[in-house]
Amino acid sequence: MMWFIIVCLAIIFVIKVLQDWRRPRLFPPGPRGLPIVGNILDVKRLVDETKFYSHAWCRLADIYGPIVGLKLGIAEPLIIVSGKDAVIEMMSRPQFDGRPNECIHRLRTGGKRRGVLFTDGDVWRDQRRFILRTLKEFGFGNVTMEDMILNDAVSLTTTIESLGKLGPISNLYNITSIAVLNSLWTLVAGSRYELENPKLTEILSVVNEIVRNTNVTGGILTHLPFLRHIIPGLIGFTTLSQKWARMWQFIRSEVTTHKQTRTHGEFRDFIDVYLAEMDTKQSSSSVSSFNEEQLISVVKDLFSAGVETTNNTIGFIITYLTVKQDVQKKVHEEIDRVLGKEILPRVVYKNRMPYLNATIAEVMRVANVGPTSIPHRAMADSILLGYEIKKNYTLLANLRSVHMDEQHWGDPKKFRPERFINDNGDYVEDPWLIPFGIGHRKCLGESMARNSVFLFTACLLQKFQFTLPPGHPDPILDGVDGFTIAPPDLNVVAIKRK
């Protein structure tokens, strides 16, 4: 009898495996894969060959077309969407505005779905609306914000000048990351940090390690999540949990300090306003998503998303201009013509600096700091370009495929800012450049990110010429893969301009 039960269970298991392996009739095309593990080995092989997940997605698009279906372990299918038309179609449709709800996404916010990056529905809408309204009241996107960014940019140039006198600078990424964070942190927590602050340096290092060691597919923790109960150390679950916990504790301590020092009716920053909103919601009888864990998660999202992509973009600008001295020279000439040596850059001067705008745009296009969207989730059964996308499928918009489309750009691998300059010498935006995404889930900090990148870049290049040390090999400009793409490790010589 026992053997009969075992055989029956084995048959049921095999049938289930084969059913999962079989592709439905309208499932998007893609590599066949293997039972249980699906396409994990196919993706690994492509990433080993191309060195980047985003390059692997482009390779799959070349083979199978704009909509590619992958099955990675026991997770819901992953749909890679490539090419401008398909990307715009997917990111513009509200039924694809959800976020996946895997263990790795819950892990980053205390074990539950919280925050604004990886939530959807009413919670996401309420939190996003509150964030935008509150940050705007504290200067988000206006002159007050510009002054903060400029103060941090000027402090950064002073630090770089001091370090530059000692020789090549090897940790420029860490220095700029604190400067970039300070403006946002002033709005969020009402305080600024010195560029050498050890506490913040440690947390930024934690964020950097997490981003470098994760990818948008979620990795093995999403593909085969049960392994975290069996071999948590081997698959990186233990280390990742510890790093997220350290960041959680850092922000919790900031919230605790605010609770102890705030004055009723007075608002110093975003955290104070959020705490007041919590009080208001709790005094009413309505169910609310505003609580302390949600606050920590929101600040965590602002902290990590607000620093990583902006800082990486600035890092890539310095990297490209260090290598492309002819482009750097043209930027210097434009800055000297418009600003001179003493006038601080301002957003009001932006339209008078087409070549700097074009250079920033070209770096955003070719570096692809965010080569894909953050994962989306189908919130209902849908059809996308003739293929069936079932509820809870995960979708990735392959932004790199748009930015490197040969038919549109002609020579996409060539670094050429002039592609954004028209015959009259004006900067012209190209609708094919979408580094912040599109649709309802596009980056909520786009305006601040654009202003930060412009002001920091203008300040740095007004004061310095960046070169490679003598004998330094040319860096590989592709950067370092992770959840986002980081600039390559680089030693730079910062020469103060006369």
Side-chain angles (χ1 to χ4, degrees):
M1 185 64 179
M2 179 62 72
W3 280 109
F4 177 75
I5 294 173
I6 293 172
V7 169
C8 288
L9 290 174
I11 292 172
I12 292 170
F13 177 74
V14 170
I15 292 172
K16 179 71 168 67
V17 167
L18 291 175
Q19 279 183 333
D20 289 344
W21 184 43
R22 182 181 60 83
R23 287 172 172 256
R25 187 173 62 86
L26 292 179
F27 189 79
R32 182 70 175 163
L34 298 170
I36 301 177
V37 298
N39 300 117
I40 290 176
L41 298 180
D42 297 313
V43 171
K44 183 181 184 306
R45 176 179 54 79
L46 281 173
V47 173
D48 288 343
E49 287 178 12
T50 63
K51 309 304 180 190
F52 290 82
Y53 276 88
S54 55
H55 293 216
W57 307 146
C58 290
R59 179 82 63 84
L60 287 169
D62 290 340
I63 298 169
Y64 297 102
I67 312 292
V68 176
L70 300 173
K71 292 188 174 183
L72 302 174
I74 63 173
E76 292 286 353
L78 174 66
I79 311 301
I80 308 297
V81 181
S82 302
K84 180 171 179 276
D85 292 343
V87 164
I88 289 177
E89 173 77 10
M90 186 274 275
M91 297 190 80
S92 300
R93 287 171 56 178
Q95 62 263 50
F96 299 136
D97 279 347
R99 288 292 194 226
N101 185 20
E102 308 292 350
C103 71
I104 192 170
H105 305 121
R106 297 191 299 272
L107 177 65
R108 62 187 299 283
T109 49
K112 292 185 179 180
R113 286 188 104 192
R114 299 185 178 109
V116 71
L117 283 182
F118 283 97
T119 52
D120 50 41
D122 291 340
V123 172
W124 168 67
R125 278 187 287 272
D126 290 346
Q127 297 295 321
R128 186 178 189 275
R129 192 180 298 118
F130 177 84
I131 290 167
L132 287 173
R133 184 181 73 243
T134 305
L135 290 182
K136 187 175 183 180
E137 289 171 1
F138 279 97
F140 193 66
N142 62 25
V143 176
T144 308
M145 187 77 244
E146 185 178 358
D147 288 337
M148 284 189 234
I149 295 169
L150 277 172
N151 284 339
D152 293 317
V154 170
S155 297
L156 177 61
T157 59
T158 303
T159 301
I160 289 176
E161 183 178 351
S162 299
L163 291 172
K165 293 175 182 177
L166 305 176
I169 302 171
S170 59
N171 61 337
L172 192 60
Y173 179 93
N174 292 334
I175 300 164
T176 56
S177 63
I178 297 178
V180 168
L181 173 65
N182 259 331
S183 305
L184 178 64
W185 200 244
T186 303
L187 292 181
V188 170
S191 58
R192 300 177 75 261
Y193 288 93
E194 297 301 319
L195 294 183
E196 301 298 326
N197 183 283
K199 185 179 179 183
L200 197 62
T201 301
E202 180 197 2
I203 294 302
L204 284 168
S205 175
V206 168
V207 173
N208 186 37
E209 288 170 18
I210 291 170
V211 172
R212 294 287 72 75
N213 293 303
T214 56
N215 66 76
V216 288
T217 72
I220 200 72
L221 284 171
T222 295
H223 312 333
L224 302 169
F226 59 87
L227 291 179
R228 74 187 189 277
H229 301 300
I230 304 170
I231 46 172
L234 200 59
I235 63 170
F237 178 75
T238 303
T239 301
L240 191 60
S241 298
Q242 291 169 347
K243 291 184 186 305
W244 281 130
R246 282 163 69 190
M247 194 175 174
W248 185 270
Q249 187 54 45
F250 170 77
I251 297 171
R252 182 183 286 283
S253 66
E254 192 72 48
V255 171
T256 300
T257 300
H258 273 68
K259 288 167 66 177
Q260 294 168 345
T261 59
R262 72 186 180 118
T263 303
H264 185 71
E266 292 183 14
F267 306 117
R268 299 164 294 184
D269 47 48
F270 176 83
I271 293 177
D272 274 356
V273 180
Y274 199 105
L275 290 170
E277 185 74 6
M278 283 168 47
D279 293 342
T280 301
K281 299 288 186 185
Q282 287 168 5
S283 63
S284 68
S285 57
S286 60
V287 177
S288 168
S289 63
F290 287 78
N291 54 62
E292 189 168 323
E293 285 72 24
Q294 187 69 265
L295 169 57
I296 296 169
S297 301
V298 164
V299 172
K300 196 161 170 289
D301 284 345
L302 293 172
F303 186 106
S304 51
V307 178
E308 182 68 20
T309 51
T310 300
N311 191 48
N312 282 354
T313 302
I314 294 169
F316 266 115
I317 291 170
I318 299 303
T319 299
Y320 269 93
L321 297 192
T322 297
V323 174
K324 312 286 185 182
Q325 287 291 318
D326 57 327
V327 175
Q328 186 175 174
K329 183 181 178 183
K330 291 178 182 178
V331 173
H332 282 150
E333 289 171 352
E334 183 176 75
I335 289 174
D336 292 346
R337 187 169 61 252
V338 176
L339 300 176
K341 295 292 193 293
E342 301 301 328
I343 297 175
L344 277 178
R346 287 273 180 186
V347 174
V348 71
Y349 297 119
K350 196 172 182 181
N351 290 339
R352 294 172 56 191
M353 305 177 80
Y355 197 77
L356 177 56
N357 287 322
T359 300
I360 292 170
E362 181 70 342
V363 170
M364 286 182 171
R365 182 193 70 80
V366 78
N368 286 292
V369 166
T372 69
S373 64
I374 289 176
H376 287 232
R377 177 178 63 88
M379 302 181 77
D381 291 351
S382 306
I383 299 293
L384 180 61
L385 299 188
Y387 297 107
E388 191 173 50
I389 309 298
K390 290 188 177 295
K391 183 179 180 180
N392 292 327
Y393 280 14
T394 298
L395 302 97
L396 278 182
N398 181 4
L399 305 183
R400 187 178 197 278
S401 69
V402 183
H403 296 159
M404 303 300 286
D405 187 296
E406 193 167 325
Q407 289 187 326
H408 177 73
W409 302 103
D411 53 355
K413 294 182 180 178
K414 186 174 182 181
F415 184 76
R416 188 168 60 84
E418 286 76 11
R419 71 176 81 246
F420 293 98
I421 303 287
N422 67 13
D423 292 340
N424 297 323
D426 301 321
Y427 169 71
V428 179
E429 292 187 359
D430 191 310
W432 285 64
L433 182 63
I434 47 173
F436 298 96
I438 56 174
H440 296 112
R441 300 294 317 219
K442 74 182 298 187
C443 174
L444 59 81
E446 178 179 354
S447 62
M448 180 176 176
R450 287 190 182 278
N451 288 342
S452 293
V453 169
F454 172 78
L455 293 171
F456 272 101
T457 301
C459 279
L460 290 172
L461 290 168
Q462 183 183 42
K463 299 297 182 186
F464 303 106
Q465 178 188 1
F466 294 97
T467 67
L468 291 171
H472 192 292
D474 283 350
I476 298 172
L477 295 175
D478 286 343
V480 182
D481 202 16
F483 198 91
T484 59
I485 308 296
D489 291 332
L490 194 69
N491 290 337
V492 297
V493 177
I495 303 168
K496 189 174 182 184
R497 300 182 66 220
K498 303 297 185 186

